[in-house]
Amino acid sequence: MKWRKYTKYVGGLVCLFAGIHLGNAYITGYWRFEPFNLGWDTVGRGIILLIIGLALIYWSE
């Protein structure tokens, strides 16, 4: 399985984008978490991306 050799790099890129997403939520002040604020969306997507990236790194060789 040659493709598993490269999944750690893809996972690293996904984690990078997750960090950018979470950093964007922090810098722009989305931490208010009002019911219709973008904070839940931004943080939720960042955490999901982080979990996917870490899973890809874990499953790589």
Side-chain angles (χ1 to χ4, degrees), residues 50-61:
L50 187 63
I51 290 170
I52 291 170
L54 290 175
L56 286 172
I57 293 170
Y58 178 75
W59 288 325
S60 68
E61 289 182 349

Side-chain angles (χ1 to χ4, degrees), residues 7-53:
T7 55
K8 63 182 158 192
Y9 301 114
V10 174
L13 285 174
V14 171
C15 285
L16 173 74
F17 291 126
I20 291 171
H21 217 62
L22 290 172
N24 185 33
Y26 180 73
I27 295 296
T28 55
Y30 285 156
W31 293 102
R32 291 183 297 268
F33 295 129
E34 296 167 1
F36 297 106
N37 199 347
L38 295 176
W40 292 112
D41 262 4
T42 308
V43 173
R45 281 188 301 247
I47 291 173
I48 290 171
L49 282 173
L50 187 63
I51 290 170
I52 291 170

